[in-house]
Amino acid sequence: MSKIIALANQKGGVGKTTTAINLAASLAVLEKKVLVVDADPQANATSGFGFDLKTIESSIYECIIDKTDPHDALLKGEFDNLQVLPSHIDLVGAEIEMLNLPNREKVLKEVLGKIKDEYDYILIDCSPSLGLITVNALTAADSVIIPVQCEYFALEGLGKLLNTIKIIQGRLNPDLKIEGFLLTMYDARLNLSNQVVEEVQRHFQDMVFETIISRNVKLSEAPSYGKAVVMYDAASKGATNYLNLAKELIERNK
């Protein structure tokens, strides 16, 4: 049974891409078949896995706009059971090009329908906006993980995201669930971090993942080497955090 999970938050810098890369790699380590769909024109998830953006011939853009078979765009990661559907800067223009398409909110769902059954988990890294591509991701997804950074203004904008999710549940994808809120960039030394954790847990209760992602130098360094943290430094706190998150996700979906 395949599960499609979107990672969404219109706020930038909350750890969406970091989570997409490292949760995917951790699930792959735990012997799950995983696909990462890079639905962000910045293509950070693609480059974070070590792929050179200049050499990519087919991407999610071609799959959406030119109806390219997604099998022809897949890139193989460091693990046998991890693949990436890459992004491209062209994706910036895709939202405008999609405006005239029939069922424009369901194009990505159609694309992923062709390959969905080949994976245990498909993770979609959304861009920091609530535009048409993100709406497509939420329409295609079974559930959504919402990363929330343990910093000031953490809850700002969440209302807007939750409202968007509610609209999508009502009109486009009644089966969409919230997989969980993921607390990221946690620093145990800061009172503010601990206050945010308490506030999010009080607010969303059992919808919050038990695993909290701590601030970690190795986690920040790994993408510049084109590696997931579990390959860059398996003993680091970041690697441990994301392996724990992967185990928790698998447990929740038994």
Side-chain angles (χ1 to χ4, degrees):
M1 229 285 288
S2 179
K3 184 154 200 186
I4 301 177
I5 303 173
L7 289 118
N9 190 333
Q10 77 275 25
K11 217 166 171 303
V14 297
K16 281 189 297 292
T17 302
T18 301
T19 298
I21 292 171
N22 292 297
L23 176 56
S26 298
L27 287 165
V29 166
L30 297 170
E31 298 181 348
K32 299 293 179 189
K33 277 209 79 175
V34 191
L35 173 67
V36 175
V37 178
D38 192 348
D40 183 352
Q42 294 175 63
N44 290 339
T46 306
S47 58
F49 276 113
F51 298 111
D52 182 351
L53 301 180
K54 293 192 282 293
T55 63
I56 288 168
E57 289 169 20
S58 284
S59 69
I60 187 173
Y61 172 83
E62 282 77 17
C63 297
I64 289 173
I65 302 300
D66 304 331
K67 300 279 183 263
T68 297
D69 186 326
H71 290 99
D72 297 334
L74 295 176
L75 302 173
K76 199 173 157 313
E78 275 191 87
F79 304 88
D80 288 341
N81 49 348
L82 172 65
Q83 289 179 306
V84 178
L85 182 56
S87 185
H88 194 275
I89 189 68
D90 289 349
L91 198 59
V92 169
E95 302 213 343
I96 294 160
E97 293 177 66
M98 288 164 76
L99 289 176
N100 300 320
L101 294 178
N103 277 339
R104 61 188 182 201
E105 295 92 355
K106 297 185 176 175
V107 183
L108 185 58
K109 183 175 183 154
E110 220 171 276
V111 170
L112 296 182
K114 297 170 186 170
I115 51 176
K116 179 178 179 179
D117 295 337
E118 295 164 35
Y119 302 94
D120 297 311
Y121 291 95
I122 296 176
L123 303 182
I124 309 175
D125 184 28
C126 297
S127 67
S129 79
L130 293 177
L132 189 52
I133 302 277
T134 300
V135 168
N136 261 266
L138 293 170
T139 303
D142 299 305
S143 66
V144 54
I145 289 176
I146 303 170
V148 180
Q149 85 283 38
C150 298
E151 288 174 6
Y152 205 56
F153 296 136
L155 298 179
E156 198 183 58
L158 272 188
K160 200 173 176 189
L161 174 63
L162 294 172
N163 199 37
T164 302
I165 290 170
K166 201 171 275 181
I167 291 167
I168 285 166
Q169 286 167 330
R171 296 184 192 166
L172 296 164
N173 184 2
D175 299 326
L176 182 65
K177 307 265 189 301
I178 293 178
E179 189 73 44
F181 291 85
L182 175 67
L183 290 155
T184 62
M185 304 179 192
Y186 174 72
D187 187 338
R189 298 164 302 179
L190 300 178
N191 279 340
L192 180 63
S193 268
N194 294 305
Q195 283 166 3
V196 172
V197 170
E198 281 170 28
E199 198 174 342
V200 172
Q201 286 172 340
R202 188 176 69 244
H203 217 76
F204 300 109
Q205 296 168 356
D206 56 359
M207 290 167 82
V208 184
F209 283 102
E210 280 177 34
T211 307
I212 296 176
I213 309 299
S214 298
R215 277 197 179 280
N216 179 248
V217 176
K218 301 291 183 192
L219 206 48
S220 311
E221 286 175 359
S224 59
Y225 291 90
K227 288 181 180 292
V229 71
V230 72
M231 296 299 279
Y232 179 61
D233 185 347
S236 67
K237 198 171 193 176
T240 307
N241 285 168
Y242 275 108
L243 275 167
N244 287 339
L245 177 65
K247 287 173 189 165
E248 190 176 344
L249 182 66
I250 292 167
E251 197 55 43
R252 280 183 178 214
N253 285 288
K254 272 188 174 169

